[in-house]
Amino acid sequence: MASASGAGSAAALWSEVNRCGQNGDFARALKSVNKILQISKDDVTALQCKVVCLIQNGNFKEALSVINTHTKVLTSDVIAFEKAYCEYRLNRIENALKTIQSASQQTDKLKELYGQVLYRLERYDDCLAAYRDLIRNSQDEYEEERKTNLSAVVAAQSTWEKVMPEDLGLREATYELCYNSACALIGQGKLNEAMKKLQKAEELCRQSLSEDSDQNVFDSKKKVKLTNAEGVEHKLSKKQLQAIEFNKALLAMYTNQADQCRKLSASLQSQSPEHLLPVLIQAAQLCREKQHAKAVALLQDFADQHPANAAEIKLTMAQLKIAQGSITKACMILRSIEELQHKPGMVSALVTMYSHEEDIDSAIEVFTQAIQWYQQFQPKSPVHLSLIREAANFKLKHGRKKEAISDLEELWKQNPKDVHTLAQLISAYSLVDPEKAKVLSKHLPSSDTMSLKVDVDALENSHGATYVRKKAGKLTGDSQQKEQGQGDVKKKKKKKKGKLPKNYDPKVTPDPERWLPMRERSYYRGRKKGKKKDQVGKGTQGSTTAGSSELDASKTASSPPTSPRPGSAAAVSATSNVIPPRHQKPAGAPATKKKQQQKKKKGAKGGW
């Protein structure tokens, strides 16, 4: 009876295990499996189920311990995949590879895991071959995932090994495939195309997420937090982990966490002393703290210690010098990069900066050195001829025609039919050797060959013409007579006499400064602010200013009048306004001011 009851309970437990496994409740299934093992501790199926439950719950160490404890029962043929997977997840990649290779039968599961192990070991060629074999010989619902892994291998080759990626012919319908394609383009340096792919991948990923997902899933801070999750370091390659650390240092810099940035960059530099990024991040942090001199010194030390990476460092140093306004020093740094001196981009940058500093001689020297390099290593190449052309134009632009002759002769020698170059050469020789210019001018095409068929009338009547010729109309009778009478003389219009001022006196010399504004005349003494005609209220109570004498009628009669009006009598001089002293001219100078407006007294006779 006891054995029958034990068998019944075991059957019930197996039913529970099966039900929980189908529902994904592996924690509850594990409890039932442990009860089964209490009944039969060496049950192979129960031990396998226990290992699977532990793996599903993320307990890889415990699962591997169970496998190693029951090696007699759980042989490599039975449990090879589970053992290799636990070793893979525990980042024991070499052990996982040995376990897979020692298996007597290579199942599809082991092949899939084998591809993942090779990828983690950065053996990309072997990994590519493994996935090609899987895709060719497998037909199940995981084909899309295998294609994604295949594209990831190609992207890794392009990014880390600088291998030209092959076209796999995959339809980029998922964000994973788009992302891998973007990584491959980044490895080739095609950043603009990569950006478009990443934007497409982002859009596809947003569509695949549920509406309740966080819209800031692509935010930088959240990305970094995701990399800190447990077990992530076991899924990434060394270079990927290093790239994440670089991004953490950059994020600390841009979020103004200076101490954290320095700590991370120093740690990265100690791990990879020859890597550029840690030093560049430290220099960028110093620049954000306005310590440009320290940043340049740091970069200079690194360039001295690692000559192989000196070019990139010196370019950064030159950029910092330009930001400080030290253009000449930046040019000196750039010219010290020997491997880039002859490059068209470097020549263009140096000539532009030297022109900004008005150092034309140095700019011409840069052209000369670059042309000499191409003359020695790549003569008559398109870049060589282009540099000669630019050098000649630069010299002509800055009045160095004599120095431009050799460049123009070289260009004309390469293309004798170039009339523009020949004209420039003749112009340059005209100042140095006129006879040579005359000889060269014989090579110019004749005027007949250069004539163009142009409709002069249409050109003159066009909208763009500054002068439009009027069309001749029919002549009327009067106009015909005028045209026929050649002896007729055109009547000259009489010039009108200019109007003279009302107070003009031909006997008095006009003021030579009358055309100048009052403030610009030599005798102008200025006005006191706030001064009024009457000056009432100034001084002590009941008194008036010194200017009150001007209001005395007995004194105004003896005041010197302005220029007399034609026909006026002395008797009416009292009726005219008196010119204030500040408007009178200095002694000895004739009066030329405009006559003040006269006011007519009541009962007065005469006047105009």
Side-chain angles (χ1 to χ4, degrees), residues 568-580:
S568 63
V572 296
S573 60
T575 62
S576 55
N577 288 342
V578 179
I579 300 176

Side-chain angles (χ1 to χ4, degrees), residues 252-257 281-292:
M253 182 185 72
Y254 285 118
T255 53
N256 298 321
Q257 301 178 36
I281 293 173
Q282 291 180 48
Q285 181 60 44
L286 289 171
C287 290
R288 290 175 70 88
E289 298 171 1
K290 309 300 182 183
Q291 301 183 40
H292 293 87

Side-chain angles (χ1 to χ4, degrees), residues 376-513:
Q376 182 178 358
F377 297 102
Q378 298 179 18
K380 299 181 182 180
S381 64
V383 179
H384 182 206
L385 298 177
S386 177
L387 282 173
I388 295 175
R389 166 67 66 188
E390 293 300 326
N393 291 336
F394 183 81
K395 293 171 184 177
L396 292 173
K397 178 182 177 182
H398 292 87
R400 306 290 183 90
K401 291 189 176 183
K402 185 176 180 180
E403 300 176 29
I405 288 175
S406 60
D407 298 328
L408 293 170
E409 284 182 338
E410 180 66 24
L411 289 171
W412 188 53
K413 189 185 299 181
Q414 298 297 328
N415 187 8
K417 296 182 180 180
D418 189 352
V419 180
H420 178 69
T421 302
L422 178 59
Q424 288 180 317
L425 185 58
I426 294 171
S427 176
Y429 264 122
S430 64
L431 299 178
V432 181
D433 190 350
E435 294 299 327
K436 182 70 173 178
K438 289 182 180 179
V439 174
L440 289 173
S441 63
K442 296 179 181 179
H443 296 279
L444 289 171
S446 63
S447 58
D448 296 335
T449 59
M450 296 180 64
S451 62
L452 301 174
K453 295 181 180 181
V454 179
D455 188 349
V456 179
D457 294 334
L459 184 62
E460 289 182 346
N461 293 321
S462 64
H463 295 290
T466 56
Y467 166 77
V468 179
R469 185 175 60 185
K470 294 182 179 179
K471 295 182 179 179
K474 293 183 179 181
L475 298 175
T476 60
D478 295 339
S479 61
Q480 288 178 356
Q481 292 177 1
K482 289 182 180 180
E483 189 170 322
Q484 292 174 359
Q486 298 178 358
D488 294 345
V489 181
K490 293 183 179 179
K491 294 182 180 180
K492 294 183 178 180
K493 292 183 179 181
K494 294 182 179 180
K495 293 184 178 180
K496 294 183 180 180
K497 293 183 179 181
K499 292 184 179 181
L500 298 174
K502 293 181 180 181
N503 58 349
Y504 171 72
D505 186 359
K507 297 180 181 180
V508 179
T509 305
D511 182 6
E513 299 182 10

Side-chain angles (χ1 to χ4, degrees), residues 158-211:
S158 174
T159 304
W160 311 122
E161 296 182 351
K162 304 302 179 184
V163 176
M164 182 63 66
E166 58 179 303
D167 186 6
L168 300 174
L170 301 177
R171 190 171 62 89
E172 298 171 0
T174 63
Y175 69 88
E176 294 96 336
L177 286 171
C178 274
Y179 176 80
N180 291 336
S181 178
C183 292
L185 291 170
I186 292 172
Q188 299 175 66
K190 300 178 180 180
L191 301 183
N192 291 331
E193 297 180 34
M195 176 59 73
K196 294 179 181 179
K197 291 284 185 183
L198 288 173
Q199 290 172 347
K200 182 181 177 181
E202 180 179 351
E203 184 62 28
L204 290 172
C205 185
R206 288 185 186 277
Q207 292 175 4
S208 66
L209 295 174
S210 61
E211 294 182 358

Side-chain angles (χ1 to χ4, degrees), residues 44 48 67 70-84 98-107 109-110:
V44 177
Q48 281 184 301
I67 294 172
H70 300 83
T71 53
K72 292 182 180 180
V73 180
L74 299 175
T75 60
S76 59
D77 294 338
V78 176
I79 204 74
F81 173 77
E82 287 79 4
K83 181 181 180 181
K98 292 178 181 179
T99 302
I100 294 172
Q101 291 175 340
S102 63
S104 59
Q105 185 180 0
Q106 295 294 320
T107 61
K109 293 191 298 182
L110 279 173

Side-chain angles (χ1 to χ4, degrees), residues 65-121:
S65 177
V66 171
I67 294 172
N68 293 329
T69 304
H70 300 83
T71 53
K72 292 182 180 180
V73 180
L74 299 175
T75 60
S76 59
D77 294 338
V78 176
I79 204 74
F81 173 77
E82 287 79 4
K83 181 181 180 181
Y85 185 77
C86 290
E87 291 169 338
Y88 171 77
R89 292 300 302 270
L90 293 171
N91 206 30
R92 303 173 187 176
I93 309 301
E94 295 289 347
N95 294 339
L97 180 63
K98 292 178 181 179
T99 302
I100 294 172
Q101 291 175 340
S102 63
S104 59
Q105 185 180 0
Q106 295 294 320
T107 61
D108 288 343
K109 293 191 298 182
L110 279 173
K111 289 179 180 179
E112 296 276 3
L113 185 57
Y114 180 60
Q116 292 289 336
V117 168
L118 291 174
Y119 183 83
R120 290 289 301 278
L121 291 173

